[in-house]
Amino acid sequence: VNEEELDIRDGFQWSPDGHFIAYWQFDTSGVGEYTLINDTETPYPALHRFAYPQPGTKNSAVRLGVVEVSRGPTRWVQTPGDPREHYIFRVDWAPNSQELAVEYLNRLQNSNQILLADARSGKVRVLLEDTDKAWVDVLSDFHWFDAKSFGFLSERDGWRHAYLFSRESGQVKLLTSAAADVIAGVAVDEKAGWFYYIASPANATQRYLYRTRLAGQGEAEQVTPSSQAGSHSYDISPDGRWAFHTYSSFDRPPVIDLVSLPEHKSIRALETNAAAAEKAKELIAAPAEFFQVAVDGGAKLDGAKLDGWMIKPRGFDPAKKYPVLVFVYGEVASCTVNDRWGGREALFHRAIANDGYLVVSFDNQGTPAPKGRAWRKIVYGTVGILSSQQQAAAIAQLMKDRPYVDGSRLAIWGWSGGGSNTLNVMFRSPGLFAAGMAVAPVADLRYYDSTYQERYMGVPAENAKGYHDASTINIAEGLAGKLLIVHGSGDDNVHFQGTEMLMNKLIQLGKPFDFMDYPNRTHA
């Protein structure tokens, strides 16, 4: 769960001088044990058991220790409160070998404290706290500007802005003030006085490099050339003079070059992907179309403009009618409408289009698009309901706007959260889609992991109705049309259990469906 939801993959941090190791310790005693059954490798089924907390159940107790490499016992950092009701999300040496910066979340994940811990004594003090009525943004890492200050991102004013925190004064200074989101911090050029970050104020589907003065004065500057429309990522050198730059768009595989900053002059190509681009031409009959569609139908839907893309088949004729495949995710963890190369997923959709389909995708409210806090957090406590309403409204509007869309031949598919939303749309809007394919869906929110589900839904004891209403197993009687459910029986993330329970419910309701089991396969 911590690997999947908090990206804790190694569980330790070396000090800069190499004399100490700070490490997480997880005590899983009392945590519910999950069992996966492997029927395919041995004559008798093999059982794989592991601790897995579901919403509202006991979490691991987590604490942070520091050990001196040469000698001595572990010193435990004195984090406050119940260790089973908090998460140690990030740890960083601050930026010396005597102190640790610790990102400390409460269980509901609506309070994020930055603690400063003494590595030798374990004593802590709170440097900074960020709160939110829904869930709070967390720092993927600490951006140290010097030994006495660091940068962080917060949605406290309604936008994800960058702030500078001074350890000496405790003051917080706003670095980015535009009515736009900072998507991610990238680097600090302390000598020249610049903070580099990724943003896209004018187009939520794209990504560009910006910079702003550390002094907090003046307008932000776009560093990425406007002529390179699409999505860009950067690995900037410590002195701020160079960057490894990756650039792609929906129809263009990524290219990587070395650029000088801030003029963004290309010094030399590192990876052109020329062979991939040439092969892709065989599938790319025409550029994908990006568009926006307005949806209505209720107070929460009024005025929302959803970003979307459409892939048309080779030889497209607007006078004809075409069947449509909608690709959906729709949850808080990811967007599907991105102007960047999508790899095998994009090639799959191109192949489907060239078989005579229109392939489209929409990003509803609640997805992590850079459109402000309200856009992302409107779904708190009701994940899956608004998304399905807006997905249905978007395809209905598309049928009105585009006469070549065949409303009698609509299909929808998605994976994981997209599998859940495939079920949501089919069950909540019966008859709109003739067919759907749900891959590894969460059919009952009570049985996914505590960390993810409680972040966006709260705990079941305080939001029982929300968990019930948002779980597709409770609205399965709405199924009309052909449904294919796909799941790996060895999925240790979204467990096969939920799909079996959903299938059992559909059987009880007399609802026919198709099913594909991938024996002992994972969520991937």
Side-chain angles (χ1 to χ4, degrees):
V1 169
N2 286 276
E3 178 187 35
E4 170 71 19
E5 308 301 355
L6 302 180
D7 203 31
I8 300 173
R9 297 183 180 272
D10 50 22
F12 60 89
Q13 288 275 17
W14 281 95
S15 64
D17 64 8
H19 291 168
F20 298 90
I21 301 176
Y23 66 93
W24 283 257
Q25 184 193 76
F26 296 98
D27 176 4
T28 61
S29 59
V31 176
E33 188 175 73
Y34 203 87
T35 303
L36 293 180
I37 304 172
N38 181 351
D39 290 316
T40 61
E41 292 185 5
T42 56
Y44 287 92
L47 304 182
H48 174 51
R49 295 185 174 93
F50 53 95
Y52 184 94
Q54 293 175 336
T57 68
K58 184 175 287 187
N59 274 348
S60 300
V62 60
R63 60 177 177 170
L64 181 66
V66 182
V67 62
E68 193 168 359
V69 176
S70 60
R71 66 184 187 279
T74 294
R75 299 273 187 185
W76 297 106
V77 173
Q78 299 165 20
T79 51
D82 186 342
R84 293 191 185 274
E85 297 297 313
H86 289 83
Y87 298 102
I88 296 176
F89 180 66
R90 285 287 176 272
V91 176
D92 191 19
W93 292 89
N96 52 55
S97 295
Q98 291 80 45
E99 297 171 310
L100 290 157
V102 181
E103 195 166 359
Y104 197 56
L105 287 167
N106 67 334
R107 177 159 183 162
L108 285 177
Q109 298 171 70
N110 56 16
S111 171
N112 184 22
Q113 291 183 326
I114 307 301
L115 309 177
L116 189 68
D118 185 284
R120 292 187 180 275
S121 69
K123 293 182 179 180
V124 302
R125 63 186 177 95
V126 178
L127 290 180
L128 175 70
E129 183 175 17
D130 205 18
T131 61
D132 195 289
K133 291 181 179 179
W135 66 89
V136 71
D137 264 8
V138 290
L139 285 67
S140 57
D141 52 46
F142 292 88
H143 289 282
W144 292 100
F145 290 76
D146 51 44
K148 299 177 181 178
S149 59
F150 63 84
F152 68 98
L153 302 181
S154 172
E155 297 174 328
R156 57 183 59 191
D157 66 356
W159 295 99
R160 186 185 295 121
H161 279 148
Y163 295 84
L164 182 65
F165 175 80
S166 169
R167 284 177 52 182
E168 288 187 332
S169 67
Q171 291 183 335
V172 173
K173 181 170 68 175
L174 181 67
L175 293 182
T176 57
S177 57
D181 283 322
V182 173
I183 297 170
V186 177
V188 175
D189 182 354
E190 188 178 342
K191 185 175 182 181
W194 293 100
F195 172 58
Y196 285 89
Y197 61 96
I198 299 295
S200 187
N203 188 331
T205 73
Q206 299 175 337
R207 302 290 184 266
Y208 300 100
L209 184 67
Y210 282 76
R211 68 174 186 168
T212 190
R213 286 286 183 186
L214 291 178
Q217 299 172 346
E219 295 293 324
E221 300 178 6
Q222 182 174 327
V223 179
T224 307
S226 299
S227 59
Q228 297 181 3
S231 294
H232 303 258
S233 62
Y234 296 82
D235 184 359
I236 297 178
S237 63
D239 63 6
R241 295 179 57 198
W242 313 97
F244 293 124
H245 163 232
T246 303
Y247 167 45
S248 75
S249 66
F250 195 88
D251 300 314
R252 171 179 174 167
V255 293
I256 306 172
D257 62 346
L258 176 69
V259 299
S260 59
L261 296 178
E263 64 273 16
H264 208 280
K265 179 182 178 182
S266 182
I267 304 302
R268 62 186 174 95
L270 301 176
E271 177 57 71
T272 62
N273 270 324
E278 191 63 30
K279 289 181 179 179
K281 287 180 181 179
E282 300 173 13
L283 281 174
I284 300 175
E289 175 192 354
F290 279 77
F291 59 90
Q292 288 189 325
V293 57
V295 295
D296 55 21
K300 286 187 175 182
L301 299 174
D302 288 341
K305 288 187 177 181
L306 310 190
D307 287 307
W309 52 251
M310 176 183 288
I311 304 172
K312 298 184 176 77
R314 184 176 284 111
F316 172 75
D317 181 353
K320 294 182 178 180
K321 290 274 191 180
Y322 290 90
V324 178
L325 176 64
V326 175
F327 172 53
V328 63
Y329 182 75
E331 285 207 1
V332 188
S334 183
C335 293
T336 59
V337 185
N338 302 301
D339 190 6
R340 66 168 180 255
W341 183 250
R344 65 179 185 178
E345 182 182 276
L347 296 176
F348 168 69
H349 287 140
R350 285 285 184 184
I352 294 293
N354 286 333
D355 277 342
Y357 293 82
L358 299 170
V359 184
V360 301
S361 192
F362 309 100
D363 271 339
N364 51 263
Q365 286 180 286
T367 54
K371 294 185 176 184
R373 177 199 175 278
W375 173 278
R376 293 183 286 274
K377 296 183 177 178
I378 191 174
V379 297
Y380 181 70
T382 60
V383 169
I385 298 176
L386 180 63
S387 59
S388 58
Q389 292 173 336
Q390 292 193 335
Q391 290 286 331
I395 194 65
Q397 187 63 45
L398 209 65
M399 287 190 285
K400 293 179 183 178
D401 296 342
R402 307 192 183 212
Y404 49 80
V405 170
D406 187 346
S408 69
R409 292 189 292 167
L410 302 179
I412 184 169
W413 91 280
W415 197 309
S416 192
S420 304
N421 271 312
T422 295
L423 299 175
N424 263 309
V425 175
M426 292 199 73
F427 295 174
R428 297 181 193 277
S429 300
L432 177 61
F433 286 90
M437 180 173 72
V439 183
V442 177
D444 192 325
L445 273 55
R446 296 174 302 170
Y447 301 135
Y448 193 46
D449 74 64
S450 60
T451 309
Y452 179 93
Q453 214 63 75
E454 291 174 2
R455 181 186 302 152
Y456 306 124
M457 292 292 296
V459 293
E462 298 174 4
N463 187 23
K465 187 177 187 301
Y467 272 82
H468 176 276
D469 294 352
S471 295
T472 56
I473 195 170
N474 298 317
I475 53 170
E477 64 275 6
L479 174 61
K482 296 183 178 181
L483 173 63
L484 169 63
I485 305 173
V486 182
H487 214 129
S489 65
D491 193 333
D492 61 356
N493 179 7
V494 178
H495 298 141
F496 188 51
Q497 171 195 28
T499 283
E500 284 195 298
M501 294 174 70
L502 173 64
M503 292 192 296
N504 195 43
K505 182 66 173 287
L506 291 169
I507 291 167
Q508 291 172 354
L509 292 168
K511 296 284 186 177
F513 61 93
D514 292 301
F515 172 61
M516 176 65 186
D517 170 28
Y518 278 79
N520 201 42
R521 303 307 201 281
T522 68
H523 193 58

